[in-house]
Amino acid sequence: MTNDTARTFVDGTTIRPIRPDESDAESAVIVGAFAAGPYGHLPKSAERAAFEADTAGRGADGAVLVAVGADGAVVGTASVLRAGSRYSRVARPGEAEVRLISVDPSAQGAGLGAALTRASLEAALDWGASALVLDTGSRNTRAQALYERLGFVRDPGRDAVVGAGVESVVYRFPLQPRDDVVVRLMRADEADAVAALVEHAYAADFELNAGYRADIVAVAERAREHRVWVAVDAMTGELLGTASTPRAGETMSPVARDGELDFRFLGVAPGARRRGIGEALVQHVLLLARIRGLERVVLNTGPDMLAAQRLYGRLGFSRLHEREFTFVRPDGSSFQMLAYGRDARLAA
């Protein structure tokens, strides 16, 4: 989750990166949630108290997210940390770790814990982390049920005793389906290269008119409004492919309806074809939909995009005939814009 990204929860609560003037309120939420939890009766070490109070330090290690109510009050928080940083405890190289998922006792029971966990997953996905990991006390069965419901799996090899009377259990959520490819958010300095890649990918399949070509190559502008993802070689960093999705709660095209995620501008570099890069990017979109709690992934594609249509069919997408329409070119010619969709809740 980048600094300009926020998501609005059902009751008007917004989850977003913390602002400097919210540090004290954020720490207070952590203290209150801990006191109300299954370990609130235990004495707190000075090291733990300092960790909870060091909002700036946690932010320097990654990102601090807050849930802010309609009245502007901080009612929840989560710290997403990079592996190897000062406050990371169980993450291995390439992973991200979330700690201090906390909801003010007065706001508990409304699903904010799940929303903060989903936002933490998306922040780790932005970075291209291989997984998001976390640990929680063995007595915190309510939290464990939440993590399992969201798709985290136990990693008992990392369990440990982390304090007097506190046994830690570890959960992991995989974020990258392949070891040789990393999918992450595009960096600003990659916009020109991504524009060239997607232009070449589309021009290889059909002739582009000036208006559509301009839309395809407007990558920097698109990244300001939406989310531009890139697939890169895990060893060399070579740019292999790209796809774009909307921010949480938004859409990129009329094909999407409530509870759905649409995506556009799927392209693979000519030299990376036949490596499964297109499939990896579509799997990434499906994963993003599940992280956001959405039911379906949808898209439009042109009749000339035969390779893309074969890919969608192979991955379980089916035609949405009722959402298809006739697209008229500036020269008066036209074609049928196809629509596809599939259930995001099925394994990619």
Side-chain angles (χ1 to χ4, degrees), residues 28-51:
V29 167
I30 296 171
V31 171
F34 180 85
Y39 296 98
H41 63 287
L42 297 177
K44 186 182 297 186
S45 68
E47 179 183 10
R48 169 74 186 201
F51 171 48

Side-chain angles (χ1 to χ4, degrees), residues 124 174 176 200-201 209 255 263:
Q176 302 289 338
H200 292 159
N209 64 52
V255 71
F263 70 99

Side-chain angles (χ1 to χ4, degrees), residues 201-340:
Y202 274 63
D205 288 315
F206 60 92
E207 184 175 353
L208 304 176
N209 64 52
Y212 193 34
R213 186 183 300 272
D215 195 22
I216 288 171
V217 302
V219 173
E221 294 84 350
R222 188 154 60 247
R224 288 194 285 269
E225 298 295 327
H226 302 294
R227 316 283 278 162
V228 177
W229 303 95
V230 293
V232 299
D233 188 283
M235 293 294 293
T236 67
E238 177 189 2
L239 186 64
L240 305 175
T242 181
S244 297
T245 62
R247 295 180 181 180
E250 300 179 6
T251 62
M252 291 189 71
S253 61
V255 71
R257 298 176 181 173
D258 288 344
E260 297 179 341
L261 176 67
D262 58 331
F263 70 99
R264 298 189 66 192
F265 305 110
L266 173 69
V268 176
R273 294 191 174 188
R274 304 186 187 280
R275 287 183 56 181
I277 303 305
E279 179 174 344
L281 285 161
V282 176
Q283 287 182 341
H284 175 85
V285 175
L286 290 163
L287 174 61
L288 177 62
R290 291 196 295 275
I291 287 173
R292 291 182 179 178
L294 301 176
E295 296 179 355
R296 182 187 273 183
V297 170
V298 296
L299 65 111
N300 285 126
T301 190
D304 296 330
M305 304 291 283
L306 300 180
Q309 293 169 40
R310 289 192 294 269
L311 170 64
Y312 302 140
R314 190 168 70 249
L315 293 180
F317 285 78
S318 57
R319 290 275 294 276
L320 303 175
H321 294 282
E322 73 281 4
R323 304 194 199 184
E324 297 180 350
F325 62 94
T326 300
F327 182 87
V328 180
R329 298 185 181 96
D331 64 3
S333 62
S334 63
F335 63 89
Q336 184 78 1
M337 185 67 80
L338 309 181
Y340 284 82

Side-chain angles (χ1 to χ4, degrees), residues 90 92 95-96 98 117 121 130-136 143-159 168-176 287 290:
V90 299
R92 294 171 178 168
E95 296 177 335
V98 60
T117 307
L121 282 164
S130 60
L132 181 68
V133 296
L134 58 85
D135 69 329
T136 188
Q144 292 172 45
L146 166 64
Y147 303 141
E148 291 171 5
R149 187 169 69 249
L150 292 179
F152 284 80
V153 294
R154 285 277 286 108
D155 192 347
R158 303 195 213 187
D159 292 354
S168 163
V169 295
V170 176
Y171 284 85
R172 185 176 189 269
F173 192 113
L175 295 172
Q176 302 289 338
L287 174 61
R290 291 196 295 275

